[in-house]
Amino acid sequence: MFTVSLGDDGAELRPLEPWQAEEFLTHMDRARALVDPWIPFASAATDLASARTLLQRYADQQAADSGRLYGIWLDGTLVGGVLFRTFEAKNGTCEIGCWLEAAAEGRGLVTRAARILIDWAVDVRGMHRVEWVASSANRRSLAVAERLGMTREGVLREAYPYRGKRHDEEIWAVLAPEWRNGRG
C-alpha cells in the first residue's frame, strides 16, 4: 500500500479497499448529509455489507483498469475521497469524482488530491482528457473543477434523475497539454 502526503497539515491520500469497510461506513455516516443530496454514493453504503460491496466494486474496477478509489485521511481519520469514476485507457479519457465530510471542508483537500490523480492519469497512464461531471447546483464541486483549471464545456439539461428530481449536469474537462502547461 502507498500513502501520498497532501501537504504539511497531516492529510494523506491512500487506496480505499474492501478490508476498510468498517472505517468507510463510519466515515459515510458522518458524510451522508453532505454527500447524499448530490450522488448515490452515501446511500449505497448504509451497513457493513453494503459498504464492503461498494468498496469491492471499485476494487474490481481497479483490477479491470476501469476505475479506482482513494481515501483522504486527515490526522489518521478518513474524511473523504477522490476516485476515477470511469477510466478508459484505450480512449485516453477518465472522469474524476469526489466526496468529503463537513468537518474537512475548506482545507483544499479534494483539490490537492484531485491534482495527484490528474498528474498520475496524464503523466503515467497517458490520459488525454480528464473530466469532472457534477450537478449544476453543486457549487462546491464545480468550484474544485474551476480551481483545477478545467474548462466548463457545457450543461446537460435535466440529464441526471436523482431523488425524484432531474438535475442539470455540468461537464468540465482538462486536456493533457493544458494540464502540463498549467503546472509550468
Side-chain angles (χ1 to χ4, degrees):
M1 183 169 93
F2 71 86
T3 298
V4 176
S5 173
L6 293 177
D8 58 4
D9 59 357
E12 298 176 331
L13 183 67
R14 306 181 207 158
L16 188 51
E17 301 174 347
W19 63 270
Q20 296 164 304
E22 189 171 341
E23 181 178 17
F24 177 69
L25 178 60
T26 300
H27 157 63
M28 273 296 113
D29 287 342
R30 293 189 307 266
R32 198 169 313 282
L34 190 61
V35 174
D36 202 49
W38 309 113
I39 56 174
F41 201 70
S43 61
T46 56
D47 57 28
L48 192 55
S50 60
R52 187 173 290 110
T53 297
L54 179 83
L55 295 178
Q56 185 62 54
R57 186 178 89 212
Y58 279 97
D60 293 344
Q61 282 185 307
Q62 182 166 338
D65 199 25
S66 63
R68 294 170 189 266
L69 183 63
Y70 301 94
I72 299 171
W73 278 261
L74 185 60
D75 298 323
T77 300
L78 179 62
V79 295
V82 290
L83 66 143
F84 287 110
R85 198 186 74 71
T86 62
F87 195 87
E88 299 174 10
K90 182 179 176 183
N91 296 331
T93 62
C94 60
E95 179 191 333
I96 292 179
C98 67
W99 77 94
L100 200 63
E101 63 184 63
E105 288 184 310
R107 300 170 185 244
L109 296 171
V110 167
T111 303
R112 288 184 269 163
R115 280 190 181 114
I116 290 169
L117 264 62
I118 297 170
D119 281 345
W120 180 82
V122 168
D123 296 338
V124 176
R125 294 304 307 278
M127 289 290 163
H128 179 72
R129 177 182 172 83
V130 180
E131 297 179 343
W132 190 278
V133 180
S135 167
S136 292
N138 190 345
R139 305 313 302 164
R140 294 185 74 89
S141 182
L142 299 175
V144 173
E146 189 170 6
R147 280 193 298 276
L148 291 168
M150 293 182 157
T151 299
R152 181 178 183 252
E153 295 184 333
V155 176
L156 300 174
R157 297 177 309 138
E158 297 185 6
Y160 180 62
Y162 184 61
R163 300 242 180 248
K165 180 181 176 195
R166 297 197 72 83
H167 295 260
D168 292 352
E169 283 187 326
E170 292 195 19
I171 311 295
W172 292 66
V174 64
L175 304 179
E178 297 166 341
W179 184 253
R180 289 185 192 106
N181 290 337
R183 289 186 302 198

